[in-house]
Amino acid sequence: MSSTELPGIRAVAAAAAPTVSAVRVAEGEKLRTVTPVGLTLTVRSRPAERAGAAPALFVHGLGGSSQNWSALMPLLADTLACEAVDLPGFGDSPPPDDGNYSVTGHARAVIRLLDEERRGPVHLFGNSLGGAVATRVAAVRPDLVRTLTLISPALPEIRVQRPAVPTALLALPGVASLFARLTRDWTAEQRTRGAMALCYGDPARISDEAFRHAVAEMERRLGLPYFWDAMTRSARGIVDAYTLGGQHNLWRQAERVLAPTLLVYGGRDQLVSYRMARRASAAFRDSRLLTLPDAGHVAMMEYPEAVAQAFRDLLDERGGS
């Protein structure tokens, strides 16, 4: 489900698309482009503070980008060589050549990135849609994953949270264009406030500076001719993944994960139910659970210190690597 975005961003025709501003890069971060077959991926990195640090890869959720990890990565830079990927069609990554925005398609992009750069095995982090993607990667390519950290992962729920219904409805034909018409007069600031109200446990925790950066990023996204299509198709990919049975079912794949797993759930999450924490703890065979009663859907942005400490505790259990 959505990480930083509300449904309703309208697509801009390619011919009329305005010049899109550059993606923000925080102090200490670097961006680079990787081109596995059929993909162009932007990777945001924060170099480790010591040589030989273990590699980590962070995967954002629906409507998000690698910037969603900018608060957490510096807290782990003394331990990890941190990199966050913009999934195809999000952040600064263009759409995939094959137009595949399914959970499997996004997982394939992560696998191709890791294979291309030969960074694995990595400490793999995922939020929301990125949590589903990371689960699939860990299940089908255990050789690429040292540990798995999932923050409000989008794993199938029978009773979907009511605030998540609009995002799920994007999978239906015609709904995206209806949202576009209904919200065409919304400003970037209005959209940002709505997204934060949906995704944060307490939007009042957001600093003025962080809010200004979020509005600027929203304005940038409004200029992308493909962003609405990427949102719609990725939402459809989540719904499709929820209905899959057999070995491709995400809960079945969770049971196959061999890597030590840290699960993080927020008590005020409006998109992934807090009650799913118990089921996830039972599904992942080697799991630890961090519950944050006041957190919403993006705990790594609201409570990065708590998430970082829980990951350090996981590392300590494994002997620090």
Side-chain angles (χ1 to χ4, degrees), residues 40-41 60 64 86-96 101 106 224 226-228 230-231:
T40 300
L41 300 173
H60 63 80
D86 286 330
L87 290 173
F90 294 97
D92 205 35
S93 293
Y101 288 100
H106 286 311
L224 297 173
Y226 54 81
F227 183 75
W228 188 235
M231 281 284 293

Side-chain angles (χ1 to χ4, degrees), residues 240-321:
D240 289 346
Y242 274 34
T243 63
L244 287 175
Q247 294 300 315
H248 296 290
N249 177 270
L250 282 168
W251 286 114
R252 292 286 297 275
Q253 292 195 319
E255 294 170 353
R256 291 167 50 192
V257 171
L258 301 176
T261 302
L262 171 63
L263 301 166
V264 182
Y265 282 84
R268 296 184 180 180
D269 194 332
Q270 300 181 66
L271 296 171
V272 170
S273 175
Y274 189 67
R275 66 178 179 267
M276 299 306 293
R278 178 176 297 180
R279 181 174 182 182
S281 295
F284 290 91
R285 66 180 70 188
D286 186 7
S287 67
R288 299 116 182 103
L289 175 63
L290 171 66
T291 57
L292 298 170
D294 295 326
H297 191 59
V298 287
M300 72 285 187
M301 300 171 73
E302 285 190 274
Y303 296 94
E305 295 85 359
V307 175
Q309 184 57 54
F311 175 77
R312 290 180 186 279
D313 292 343
L314 173 62
L315 274 192
D316 287 343
E317 290 181 26
R318 301 183 70 249
S321 62

Side-chain angles (χ1 to χ4, degrees), residues 124-305:
L124 185 61
F125 293 69
N127 169 236
S128 193
L129 165 63
V133 169
T135 297
R136 185 149 289 174
V137 171
V140 302
R141 288 292 304 273
D143 59 304
L144 294 178
V145 182
R146 297 186 188 211
T147 66
L148 184 64
T149 298
L150 304 177
I151 301 167
S152 296
L155 300 175
E157 298 185 46
I158 296 176
R159 291 185 297 158
V160 177
Q161 298 270 81
R162 184 174 298 176
V165 170
T167 304
L169 289 176
L170 290 178
L172 300 177
V175 171
S177 60
L178 174 62
F179 270 122
R181 290 196 300 272
L182 292 175
T183 64
R184 62 178 175 268
D185 295 327
W186 290 10
T187 65
E189 182 172 335
Q190 288 173 316
R191 296 177 191 275
T192 302
R193 289 194 187 280
M196 289 180 168
L198 182 66
C199 294
Y200 280 72
D202 180 8
R205 291 175 57 88
I206 303 166
S207 68
D208 290 342
E209 181 183 18
F211 181 74
R212 288 195 301 271
H213 290 319
V215 172
E217 174 62 13
M218 183 69 74
E219 290 174 339
R220 189 192 71 83
R221 293 176 183 184
L222 290 171
L224 297 173
Y226 54 81
F227 183 75
W228 188 235
D229 184 59
M231 281 284 293
T232 303
R233 290 174 182 251
S234 292
R236 187 174 301 142
I238 295 174
V239 173
D240 289 346
Y242 274 34
T243 63
L244 287 175
Q247 294 300 315
H248 296 290
N249 177 270
L250 282 168
W251 286 114
R252 292 286 297 275
Q253 292 195 319
E255 294 170 353
R256 291 167 50 192
V257 171
L258 301 176
T261 302
L262 171 63
L263 301 166
V264 182
Y265 282 84
R268 296 184 180 180
D269 194 332
Q270 300 181 66
L271 296 171
V272 170
S273 175
Y274 189 67
R275 66 178 179 267
M276 299 306 293
R278 178 176 297 180
R279 181 174 182 182
S281 295
F284 290 91
R285 66 180 70 188
D286 186 7
S287 67
R288 299 116 182 103
L289 175 63
L290 171 66
T291 57
L292 298 170
D294 295 326
H297 191 59
V298 287
M300 72 285 187
M301 300 171 73
E302 285 190 274
Y303 296 94
E305 295 85 359

